[in-house]
Amino acid sequence: MNKFLSYILGFTACSLQLQAQETVYPAKPQQGPIYLKNATIHTGNGEVITGGTIGFNGGKIIAVGGNVPIPADDVKVFDMQGQHVYPGLIAPETTLGLTEVTSVRATNDYQEVGEINPSVRSIVSYNTDSKVIGTLRTNGILLAHTVPQGGLISGSSSVVQLDAWNWEDAAYKTDNAIHFNMPRLMARSNPFGAAASGPSTDAVKAAMARIEEVKDFFRAAQGYLQQPKHGATNLKYEAVKGLFDRSQKLFIHCDLVKELIVAADIAREFKFDVVIVGGTDAWLIPDVLKKNNIPVVLTQQHSLPVTADDDVDQPYKTAAQLQKAGILFCISNEGFWQQRNLPFNAGTAAAYGLSKEEALSAVTLNAAKILGIADKTGSLEAGKDANIVVSTGDILDMKSSVITRAYIQGREVSLEDKHKQLYERYKYKYGLN
């Protein structure tokens, strides 16, 4: 009887565990002050405080330092002895919440038909019920930059916080950027021969023609926006108004030197606030980027270099080279589920020339600066949102990092995810509980 009762209780506990994904609710607003003491605090701006304390209330950080007084009454105090406190990590280039299963078309809502779609807004497609979101929180990623895909101008992106009921709740900074996918300025040989596909075409010339099409669009939009009144509203021109008053940024997705130079020309001609996404060859022309004040979102560090002449480890070294050149940059991983590895990509950069705190800044404060949210998050400073992660070890090291607590705007969020549930499921199946 006791054995049967134990089996029933064990099965019930396992069933509750497997249902947890559907019963993980967004956390309620912070109730009362919280202090984390005796921690190694990595502020995100390069400072490390050993044995420090951080306090937050009402979703905002109220104090951080080595000698922070803790009130005696009506506060929650947690001893973080031996643990590390970090700013919440930021994924700066992702389709998170816009796709769930890439091979299932019905779960993909990241691309619109057509070439020039600046009026498309990724935020309204963001799915807060995505099973992928929990796997990012588990690794300390609390904010993400959701980006539309496809075409020449794919639309506007927004920053979301990863604990919400719907996209309105998730919105952290809406429509912060317009995205231009620059055509590849690289000649390609036809592996089947010219006769297989008709007369050969100049790929670079064709790409430049498409780039000129985008410039013509911006010129037309500039003329439209300079008019005091319009007979009819043009939604596409209205959507890029923020580029001309610099309340929005133009994220140009490109990699090669030629493409980077074209991006700098666009920044100069239209006076846009330009950000490079990709930037594989950015290390070759740091002076051009610095002169035009163009930051870089580095993507896909764990890949081979673009050309055979580059060092095989060049993608790993680029971050350190940009840091040395004084270029503002951050680190991304593109995709959606791949973003869970974001802290470890930064760890790779730390192994190839960045200091640990510089690598941390590349996924916190630097990302916040590039996304236009550094006034609210990215570092652990009084007055900023309490987006805080606690880890048992180095958050950039997959061997030692285990996230034990995470707070978004002071709310302690669940660290449950689908991967953990499957782990528990198969422990139960094979009697490993």
Side-chain angles (χ1 to χ4, degrees), residues 180-184 251-256 258-263 275-281 296-297 299:
F180 167 32
N181 301 299
M182 187 179 295
R184 196 73 152 181
F251 278 51
I252 301 180
H253 298 244
C254 59
D255 289 291
L256 306 180
K258 292 179 181 178
E259 298 162 6
L260 299 175
I261 291 173
V262 171
V275 175
I276 297 298
V277 180
T280 303
D281 281 351
V296 179
V297 179
T299 60

Side-chain angles (χ1 to χ4, degrees), residues 198-354:
S200 60
T201 59
D202 187 332
V204 174
K205 185 176 180 180
M208 287 302 297
R210 299 186 76 205
I211 292 170
E212 195 61 31
E213 180 183 347
V214 172
K215 288 183 178 181
D216 287 342
F217 168 77
F218 286 137
R219 292 174 187 131
Q222 188 174 32
Y224 169 89
L225 294 168
Q226 287 173 348
Q227 297 173 3
K229 294 183 180 180
H230 307 102
T233 299
N234 188 308
L235 295 179
K236 292 186 177 183
Y237 294 160
E238 293 286 351
V240 297
K241 182 178 180 180
L243 293 179
F244 293 95
D245 64 19
R246 297 176 70 88
S247 61
Q248 284 180 313
K249 298 184 180 185
L250 179 63
F251 278 51
I252 301 180
H253 298 244
C254 59
D255 289 291
L256 306 180
V257 168
K258 292 179 181 178
E259 298 162 6
L260 299 175
I261 291 173
V262 171
D265 289 340
I266 291 174
R268 285 193 297 268
E269 178 179 348
F270 297 101
K271 304 296 189 293
F272 287 164
D273 194 348
V274 166
V275 175
I276 297 298
V277 180
T280 303
D281 281 351
W283 62 281
L284 290 171
I285 53 168
D287 52 333
V288 174
L289 300 176
K290 193 167 186 178
K291 180 180 178 181
N292 292 279
N293 195 29
I294 298 177
V296 179
V297 179
L298 292 174
T299 60
Q300 301 295 351
Q301 290 86 355
H302 291 181
S303 61
L304 292 172
V306 172
T307 68
D309 293 334
D310 292 338
D311 293 343
V312 71
D313 59 356
Q314 181 56 54
Y316 302 159
K317 301 188 295 185
T318 300
Q321 290 169 330
L322 294 183
Q323 178 77 29
K324 185 177 180 180
I327 305 297
L328 176 64
F329 73 94
C330 67
I331 290 175
S332 178
N333 202 29
E334 291 191 316
F336 58 113
W337 63 264
Q338 302 94 327
Q339 291 289 350
R340 67 188 180 189
N341 292 322
L342 177 65
F344 312 132
N345 276 26
T348 298
Y352 281 80
L354 289 183

Side-chain angles (χ1 to χ4, degrees), residues 91-95 143-147 157-160 176-177 179 251 371:
E93 178 72 22
T94 176
T95 54
L143 297 169
H145 184 215
T146 60
V147 177
S157 57
S158 295
V159 181
V160 293
N176 70 319
H179 291 259
F251 278 51
L371 298 177

Side-chain angles (χ1 to χ4, degrees), residues 40-50 84-87 89 323 329-331 343 346-347 349-351 353-367 369 378-380 393-396:
T40 300
I41 300 175
H42 305 259
T43 62
N45 58 15
E47 184 183 4
V48 179
I49 304 170
T50 304
H84 298 256
V85 174
Y86 297 91
L89 307 188
Q323 178 77 29
F329 73 94
C330 67
I331 290 175
L354 289 183
S355 70
K356 279 294 181 70
E357 299 311 312
E358 288 170 345
L360 176 64
S361 293
V363 289
T364 54
L365 185 57
N366 286 5
K369 289 177 179 178
S379 59
L380 300 179
D394 181 356
I395 200 171
L396 307 183

Side-chain angles (χ1 to χ4, degrees), residues 342-409:
L342 177 65
F344 312 132
N345 276 26
T348 298
Y352 281 80
L354 289 183
S355 70
K356 279 294 181 70
E357 299 311 312
E358 288 170 345
L360 176 64
S361 293
V363 289
T364 54
L365 185 57
N366 286 5
K369 289 177 179 178
I370 291 172
L371 298 177
I373 54 175
D375 60 326
K376 297 195 297 182
T377 192
S379 59
L380 300 179
E381 301 177 63
K384 290 192 174 183
D385 287 350
N387 299 327
I388 300 168
V389 174
V390 180
S391 172
T392 56
D394 181 356
I395 200 171
L396 307 183
D397 177 13
M398 66 175 65
K399 294 184 295 183
S400 64
S401 176
V402 177
I403 306 301
T404 58
R405 292 176 182 271
Y407 299 88
I408 297 179
Q409 295 173 314

